[in-house]
Amino acid sequence: RKEVEQDPGPFNVPEGATVAFNCTYSNSASQSFFWYRQDCRKEPKLLMSVYSSGNEDGRFTAQLNRASQYISLLIRDSKLSDSATYLCVVNGFQKLVFGTGTRLLVSP
Amino acid sequence: NAGVTQTPKFRILKIGQSMTLQCTQDMNHNYMYWYRQDPGMGLKLIYYSVGAGITDKGEVPNGYNVSRSTTEDFPLRLELAAPSQTSVYFCASSYPLVGYQETQYFGPGTRLLVL
């Protein structure tokens, strides 16, 4: 089993739609969780950290379910500029473990 | 702050040639990392370092070497380049909290083509 698993997509949604991604992780001892965003041919950049109680940043909401070992990202009112690959990231020993990413395509 | 800088941005190598990918960070981060990302694939950790003088292998270290003589610099050396090393290479750094892993900051990447 992979340490971090994501649906590769692509998720094709129209502007204004709400879309959700899930990610599962295998290490129950993991303490830190993140969502990164990667644009085509660019470096990954931190989108948001994921906290146990769930957290929101504008149109983005992240949730953590420790019992089921999954993390989710909800994007409301999708914009064209949200088109990117979203990487689920979980901490390992002295390093982060990156999922392979979920691709989102927002169309007019 | 420049953050994490990488040079060169793009390089073409012939099979069997060697080169060093440079990575520098000015955030005084202890931890530094090298990843490779093949087209349409996820990030794979090559090597990492938790401080000057300390390096450790990631999941795909074969064909690469690293050194960490200063906090700021973490060069990646390719010996005897092979077509399988054609990829985009990202360097990253972080300043982890005790017991946790702080967020990583990435450089813009080096695109390497081995022919």
Side-chain angles (χ1 to χ4, degrees):
Chain A
R1 181 184 176 185
K2 288 184 180 179
E3 290 185 79
V4 178
E5 291 200 70
Q6 295 183 251
D7 181 342
F11 285 58
N12 290 284
V13 301
E15 272 188 292
T18 296
V19 61
F21 312 134
N22 284 337
C23 158
T24 58
Y25 62 95
S26 61
N27 185 357
S28 58
S30 296
Q31 297 289 337
S32 300
F33 309 90
F34 310 90
W35 284 101
Y36 277 67
R37 169 191 169 130
Q38 186 173 25
D39 293 300
C40 188
R41 301 172 72 82
K42 297 286 190 180
E43 73 272 24
K45 292 183 178 179
L46 178 68
L47 178 66
M48 59 194 302
S49 300
V50 185
Y51 302 117
S52 297
S53 55
N55 49 299
E56 192 173 298
D57 183 0
R59 298 181 294 107
F60 299 85
T61 300
Q63 298 277 357
L64 169 64
N65 185 318
R66 287 188 184 274
S68 301
Q69 293 181 210
Y70 80 80
I71 308 154
S72 64
L73 177 67
L74 181 77
I75 305 175
R76 291 181 299 278
D77 188 23
S78 298
K79 311 292 185 189
L80 295 176
S81 57
D82 293 334
S83 295
T85 297
Y86 291 83
L87 308 176
C88 174
V89 185
V90 176
N91 80 294
F93 177 66
Q94 293 183 334
K95 59 184 184 291
L96 294 178
V97 182
F98 287 78
T100 53
T102 297
R103 192 171 173 210
L104 172 65
L105 298 172
V106 182
S107 54
Chain B
N1 278 356
V4 181
T5 57
Q6 291 183 240
T7 57
K9 289 185 180 179
F10 179 67
R11 182 75 181 268
I12 299 175
L13 280 183
K14 293 182 179 178
I15 295 172
Q17 285 186 320
S18 300
M19 76 165 293
T20 298
L21 283 67
Q22 301 291 346
C23 175
T24 300
Q25 54 90 9
D26 62 0
M27 297 174 282
N28 201 32
H29 285 170
N30 290 344
Y31 284 26
M32 295 187 75
Y33 310 82
W34 274 106
Y35 297 90
R36 60 176 286 174
Q37 186 174 36
D38 298 331
M41 305 295 286
L43 294 166
K44 292 185 178 179
L45 182 64
I46 305 171
Y47 270 96
Y48 67 101
S49 168
V50 300
I54 306 168
T55 62
D56 213 339
K57 295 178 180 179
E59 53 182 313
V60 290
N62 291 345
Y64 307 94
N65 277 300
V66 294
S67 59
R68 184 95 181 273
S69 56
T70 66
T71 299
E72 295 77 21
D73 301 305
F74 190 38
L76 177 71
R77 178 81 177 162
L78 276 72
E79 306 283 0
L80 300 174
S84 61
Q85 293 179 304
T86 293
S87 191
V88 180
Y89 291 84
F90 289 107
C91 179
S93 72
S94 68
Y95 189 83
L97 301 173
V98 175
Y100 293 87
Q101 187 73 31
E102 187 53 85
T103 185
Q104 289 185 9
Y105 297 85
F106 283 80
T110 293
R111 298 184 181 281
L112 177 66
L113 179 61
V114 182
L115 298 174

PDB file of all heavy atoms in Angstrom, chain A residues 56-61 74-79 81-82:
ATOM      1  N   GLU A  56     -10.411  26.397   7.334  1.00  0.00           N
ATOM      2  CA  GLU A  56     -10.918  27.028   6.116  1.00  0.00           C
ATOM      3  C   GLU A  56     -10.020  28.196   5.753  1.00  0.00           C
ATOM      4  O   GLU A  56      -9.520  28.910   6.630  1.00  0.00           O
ATOM      5  CB  GLU A  56     -12.348  27.522   6.387  1.00  0.00           C
ATOM      6  CG  GLU A  56     -13.135  27.943   5.178  1.00  0.00           C
ATOM      7  CD  GLU A  56     -14.585  28.255   5.545  1.00  0.00           C
ATOM      8  OE1 GLU A  56     -15.292  27.340   6.017  1.00  0.00           O
ATOM      9  OE2 GLU A  56     -14.992  29.414   5.367  1.00  0.00           O
ATOM     10  N   ASP A  57      -9.814  28.389   4.468  1.00  0.00           N
ATOM     11  CA  ASP A  57      -9.057  29.534   3.991  1.00  0.00           C
ATOM     12  C   ASP A  57      -9.772  30.042   2.747  1.00  0.00           C
ATOM     13  O   ASP A  57      -9.560  29.530   1.640  1.00  0.00           O
ATOM     14  CB  ASP A  57      -7.620  29.130   3.670  1.00  0.00           C
ATOM     15  CG  ASP A  57      -6.771  30.311   3.241  1.00  0.00           C
ATOM     16  OD1 ASP A  57      -7.291  31.446   3.191  1.00  0.00           O
ATOM     17  OD2 ASP A  57      -5.584  30.115   2.959  1.00  0.00           O
ATOM     18  N   GLY A  58     -10.642  31.010   2.944  1.00  0.00           N
ATOM     19  CA  GLY A  58     -11.411  31.526   1.817  1.00  0.00           C
ATOM     20  C   GLY A  58     -12.317  30.455   1.237  1.00  0.00           C
ATOM     21  O   GLY A  58     -13.170  29.900   1.932  1.00  0.00           O
ATOM     22  N   ARG A  59     -12.133  30.123  -0.027  1.00  0.00           N
ATOM     23  CA  ARG A  59     -12.980  29.135  -0.696  1.00  0.00           C
ATOM     24  C   ARG A  59     -12.522  27.692  -0.439  1.00  0.00           C
ATOM     25  O   ARG A  59     -13.153  26.756  -0.919  1.00  0.00           O
ATOM     26  CB  ARG A  59     -12.957  29.406  -2.200  1.00  0.00           C
ATOM     27  CG  ARG A  59     -13.519  30.762  -2.589  1.00  0.00           C
ATOM     28  CD  ARG A  59     -13.495  30.975  -4.097  1.00  0.00           C
ATOM     29  NE  ARG A  59     -12.138  31.058  -4.638  1.00  0.00           N
ATOM     30  CZ  ARG A  59     -11.560  30.104  -5.353  1.00  0.00           C
ATOM     31  NH1 ARG A  59     -12.213  28.986  -5.638  1.00  0.00           N
ATOM     32  NH2 ARG A  59     -10.319  30.252  -5.817  1.00  0.00           N
ATOM     33  N   PHE A  60     -11.450  27.529   0.292  1.00  0.00           N
ATOM     34  CA  PHE A  60     -10.853  26.214   0.504  1.00  0.00           C
ATOM     35  C   PHE A  60     -11.107  25.739   1.936  1.00  0.00           C
ATOM     36  O   PHE A  60     -10.881  26.481   2.884  1.00  0.00           O
ATOM     37  CB  PHE A  60      -9.352  26.257   0.236  1.00  0.00           C
ATOM     38  CG  PHE A  60      -9.000  26.652  -1.173  1.00  0.00           C
ATOM     39  CD1 PHE A  60      -8.917  27.985  -1.535  1.00  0.00           C
ATOM     40  CD2 PHE A  60      -8.771  25.687  -2.129  1.00  0.00           C
ATOM     41  CE1 PHE A  60      -8.604  28.345  -2.835  1.00  0.00           C
ATOM     42  CE2 PHE A  60      -8.445  26.025  -3.435  1.00  0.00           C
ATOM     43  CZ  PHE A  60      -8.374  27.372  -3.787  1.00  0.00           C
ATOM     44  N   THR A  61     -11.548  24.487   2.046  1.00  0.00           N
ATOM     45  CA  THR A  61     -11.767  23.876   3.360  1.00  0.00           C
ATOM     46  C   THR A  61     -11.056  22.531   3.404  1.00  0.00           C
ATOM     47  O   THR A  61     -11.221  21.715   2.497  1.00  0.00           O
ATOM     48  CB  THR A  61     -13.260  23.661   3.634  1.00  0.00           C
ATOM     49  OG1 THR A  61     -13.941  24.916   3.592  1.00  0.00           O
ATOM     50  CG2 THR A  61     -13.464  23.035   5.007  1.00  0.00           C
ATOM     51  N   LEU A  74     -11.926  20.692   0.010  1.00  0.00           N
ATOM     52  CA  LEU A  74     -13.140  21.161  -0.662  1.00  0.00           C
ATOM     53  C   LEU A  74     -12.874  22.532  -1.238  1.00  0.00           C
ATOM     54  O   LEU A  74     -12.377  23.421  -0.533  1.00  0.00           O
ATOM     55  CB  LEU A  74     -14.298  21.223   0.333  1.00  0.00           C
ATOM     56  CG  LEU A  74     -15.643  21.677  -0.214  1.00  0.00           C
ATOM     57  CD1 LEU A  74     -16.312  20.537  -0.985  1.00  0.00           C
ATOM     58  CD2 LEU A  74     -16.557  22.147   0.911  1.00  0.00           C
ATOM     59  N   ILE A  75     -13.188  22.687  -2.513  1.00  0.00           N
ATOM     60  CA  ILE A  75     -13.039  23.988  -3.166  1.00  0.00           C
ATOM     61  C   ILE A  75     -14.422  24.453  -3.596  1.00  0.00           C
ATOM     62  O   ILE A  75     -15.108  23.777  -4.367  1.00  0.00           O
ATOM     63  CB  ILE A  75     -12.114  23.903  -4.398  1.00  0.00           C
ATOM     64  CG1 ILE A  75     -10.753  23.316  -4.014  1.00  0.00           C
ATOM     65  CG2 ILE A  75     -11.939  25.290  -5.029  1.00  0.00           C
ATOM     66  CD1 ILE A  75      -9.820  23.094  -5.198  1.00  0.00           C
ATOM     67  N   ARG A  76     -14.814  25.600  -3.084  1.00  0.00           N
ATOM     68  CA  ARG A  76     -16.119  26.174  -3.457  1.00  0.00           C
ATOM     69  C   ARG A  76     -15.942  27.244  -4.514  1.00  0.00           C
ATOM     70  O   ARG A  76     -14.882  27.875  -4.603  1.00  0.00           O
ATOM     71  CB  ARG A  76     -16.788  26.785  -2.225  1.00  0.00           C
ATOM     72  CG  ARG A  76     -17.242  25.787  -1.178  1.00  0.00           C
ATOM     73  CD  ARG A  76     -17.919  26.520  -0.007  1.00  0.00           C
ATOM     74  NE  ARG A  76     -17.004  27.455   0.641  1.00  0.00           N
ATOM     75  CZ  ARG A  76     -16.120  27.094   1.549  1.00  0.00           C
ATOM     76  NH1 ARG A  76     -16.035  25.830   1.921  1.00  0.00           N
ATOM     77  NH2 ARG A  76     -15.321  27.991   2.100  1.00  0.00           N
ATOM     78  N   ASP A  77     -16.997  27.453  -5.298  1.00  0.00           N
ATOM     79  CA  ASP A  77     -17.002  28.524  -6.298  1.00  0.00           C
ATOM     80  C   ASP A  77     -15.711  28.478  -7.134  1.00  0.00           C
ATOM     81  O   ASP A  77     -14.944  29.449  -7.188  1.00  0.00           O
ATOM     82  CB  ASP A  77     -17.153  29.882  -5.597  1.00  0.00           C
ATOM     83  CG  ASP A  77     -17.368  31.028  -6.568  1.00  0.00           C
ATOM     84  OD1 ASP A  77     -17.832  30.765  -7.696  1.00  0.00           O
ATOM     85  OD2 ASP A  77     -17.047  32.174  -6.207  1.00  0.00           O
ATOM     86  N   SER A  78     -15.472  27.374  -7.784  1.00  0.00           N
ATOM     87  CA  SER A  78     -14.226  27.154  -8.532  1.00  0.00           C
ATOM     88  C   SER A  78     -13.957  28.267  -9.536  1.00  0.00           C
ATOM     89  O   SER A  78     -14.875  28.742 -10.224  1.00  0.00           O
ATOM     90  CB  SER A  78     -14.289  25.810  -9.269  1.00  0.00           C
ATOM     91  OG  SER A  78     -14.407  24.746  -8.378  1.00  0.00           O
ATOM     92  N   LYS A  79     -12.709  28.650  -9.628  1.00  0.00           N
ATOM     93  CA  LYS A  79     -12.241  29.649 -10.596  1.00  0.00           C
ATOM     94  C   LYS A  79     -11.369  28.966 -11.633  1.00  0.00           C
ATOM     95  O   LYS A  79     -10.772  27.914 -11.379  1.00  0.00           O
ATOM     96  CB  LYS A  79     -11.423  30.734  -9.886  1.00  0.00           C
ATOM     97  CG  LYS A  79     -12.051  31.324  -8.644  1.00  0.00           C
ATOM     98  CD  LYS A  79     -13.263  32.146  -8.943  1.00  0.00           C
ATOM     99  CE  LYS A  79     -13.796  32.830  -7.689  1.00  0.00           C
ATOM    100  NZ  LYS A  79     -15.120  33.458  -7.935  1.00  0.00           N
ATOM    101  N   SER A  81      -8.576  29.868 -12.422  1.00  0.00           N
ATOM    102  CA  SER A  81      -7.215  29.867 -11.873  1.00  0.00           C
ATOM    103  C   SER A  81      -6.977  28.736 -10.875  1.00  0.00           C
ATOM    104  O   SER A  81      -5.839  28.521 -10.448  1.00  0.00           O
ATOM    105  CB  SER A  81      -6.921  31.205 -11.195  1.00  0.00           C
ATOM    106  OG  SER A  81      -7.887  31.463 -10.191  1.00  0.00           O
ATOM    107  N   ASP A  82      -8.030  28.012 -10.503  1.00  0.00           N
ATOM    108  CA  ASP A  82      -7.856  26.865  -9.605  1.00  0.00           C
ATOM    109  C   ASP A  82      -7.350  25.639 -10.356  1.00  0.00           C
ATOM    110  O   ASP A  82      -6.978  24.641  -9.737  1.00  0.00           O
ATOM    111  CB  ASP A  82      -9.172  26.511  -8.915  1.00  0.00           C
ATOM    112  CG  ASP A  82      -9.647  27.580  -7.943  1.00  0.00           C
ATOM    113  OD1 ASP A  82      -8.794  28.335  -7.428  1.00  0.00           O
ATOM    114  OD2 ASP A  82     -10.870  27.659  -7.700  1.00  0.00           O
TER     115      ASP A  82
END
